[in-house]
Every structure is written in C-alpha cells, then in structure tokens.
Amino acid sequence: MAILKVARLGHPILRQVAKPVPPDEIRSPEVQRLIDDMIETMREYDGAGLAANQVHTARQIAVIEVLANPRYPDAPHIPLVVVINPVVTPLGEETEDGWEGCLSVPDMRGIVPRSRAVGLECYDRDGQKVSLIAKDFFARVIQHEHDHLNGIVYLDRMRDLSTLSHIAEWNKHWLGIREQAD
Ligand code: NI
C-alpha cells in the first residue's frame, strides 16, 4: 500500500468528471490496489472521505470512513465504505447546513447546505451492487465525495462565502456554533 499525493484546489483533475469503472474491472489488481491506497491515504490525512480525482485518477471511486477523527471529533462514526460508480438521489426536499472541509482545500472550513437524506446506489469493492439510504453526516459525506467525482468541490455549494474560515480561526470563533455542524 502507499500514501498517495493529494491534489489541491487549482489542479485541473479536481474539475474533471471521473470515468465509471467497468464492473468486470473492479476486482482487477489495479483497481484493488488503488482502493487500498485511497484508504491508506484517507486515514493518513484524517479525511472523512476521499475521491479518486483527489489522488490524480479520474475514476468513479470514493472511500468513506469516520472513526475517531481529530478533524471531526464530534462526528458520528461511519464504518469503511467503498463506493464505485455511485448514483446519489436526494430523498425529500429537506436540506441542512453543516461545516465541511476537504483534503484538497487544506485547513479551511465552510458551511454547506446538503440534502439531509440520500439514496446511494453503487458497487462495492467486490463488484457487488449496493443500495442504501444515508442520513445526516453520512449523507453529507456521500454528497461531498459524489460531487468530487463530478468535478465539484464544496466551495461551489456554499450559499454564503462569509463562513469560509481558516481552521485556526474556526477553532477560535466558530467551534461549537451551530449545533448541527459536523
Ligand atoms: Ni473533499
């Protein structure tokens, strides 16, 4: 396994639409190794998720995991999920504001409105079809990673850039504000 270099805002790969992975290639050594490397990279940098674009590979693969994470100390735990060729459907009209950060936008946070619940259909790393409903923080992370695979970053989704904060200032001025924040 290897820790991969993470593309930062401004790298064109973050603006590319990732290509689907043919289902019969999911179990190939190349794809499996990419998935392992993405998991290791996400854990190394305390990400809640990581999309393949962020490691310079425009394929429809994302990994999500939230355990004890110093970047998101109050977030509910999410066991490791590998998401391939995701189709994400908002469930209901309800949106919720919450803080997001991104390994490709280092040391920043901003408030982003997201659907409170989404349906997710995708393949897992064994090539099995997965269908689930996610709510709250899990739904937020799915939407964030799905956006990456479509060339969208969370800044594009912010309604009001005045909440965009450097993490050091965020810790001083915003921590604990808005209870629904992650
Ligand atoms: Ni991100």
Side-chain angles (χ1 to χ4, degrees):
M1 297 219 286
I3 295 165
L4 304 173
K5 186 174 181 192
V6 176
R8 285 165 298 191
L9 192 66
H11 195 298
I13 192 125
L14 294 174
R15 296 312 194 168
Q16 283 183 26
V17 178
K19 289 200 173 75
V21 183
D24 61 357
E25 285 180 24
I26 291 173
R27 293 175 69 98
S28 69
E30 178 221 344
V31 170
Q32 292 294 313
R33 181 171 166 188
L34 173 61
I35 292 168
D36 285 337
D37 289 348
M38 287 174 64
I39 293 167
E40 191 175 13
T41 303
M42 169 177 69
R43 288 175 175 164
E44 172 69 17
Y45 297 114
D46 297 319
L50 186 73
N53 310 46
Q54 292 182 274
V55 290
H56 307 87
T57 305
R59 307 195 81 177
Q60 292 268 335
I61 302 172
V63 295
I64 294 171
E65 182 183 58
V66 180
L67 300 174
N69 188 327
R71 286 180 71 238
Y72 299 95
D74 299 324
H77 290 188
I78 303 169
L80 178 66
V81 192
V82 176
V83 173
I84 300 170
N85 301 349
V87 176
V88 175
T89 312
L91 300 177
E93 302 289 304
E94 200 179 352
T95 63
E96 182 176 61
D97 286 346
W99 290 100
E100 292 186 21
C102 181
L103 297 179
S104 295
V105 189
D107 300 326
M108 301 296 286
R109 288 284 168 88
I111 288 184
V112 185
R114 297 285 188 186
S115 295
R116 177 164 264 178
V118 295
L120 169 67
E121 288 183 47
C122 64
Y123 290 94
D124 68 13
R125 70 177 301 167
D126 298 318
Q128 301 295 311
K129 282 191 178 170
V130 173
S131 177
L132 59 82
I133 289 172
K135 293 180 181 161
D136 302 322
F137 189 64
F138 187 25
R140 175 173 298 280
V141 179
I142 288 170
Q143 290 169 85
H144 180 116
E145 303 311 330
H146 180 248
D147 271 356
H148 273 304
L149 297 176
N150 288 287
I152 296 165
V153 298
Y154 80 86
L155 303 169
D156 306 338
R157 299 287 193 192
M158 289 180 69
R159 279 203 203 101
D160 176 4
L161 287 169
S162 71
T163 62
L164 189 63
S165 307
H166 188 275
I167 190 70
E169 303 293 357
W170 186 85
N171 281 324
K172 278 188 212 158
H173 301 290
W174 292 99
L175 188 62
I177 294 177
R178 299 195 194 215
E179 294 214 327
Q180 295 306 314
D182 64 34

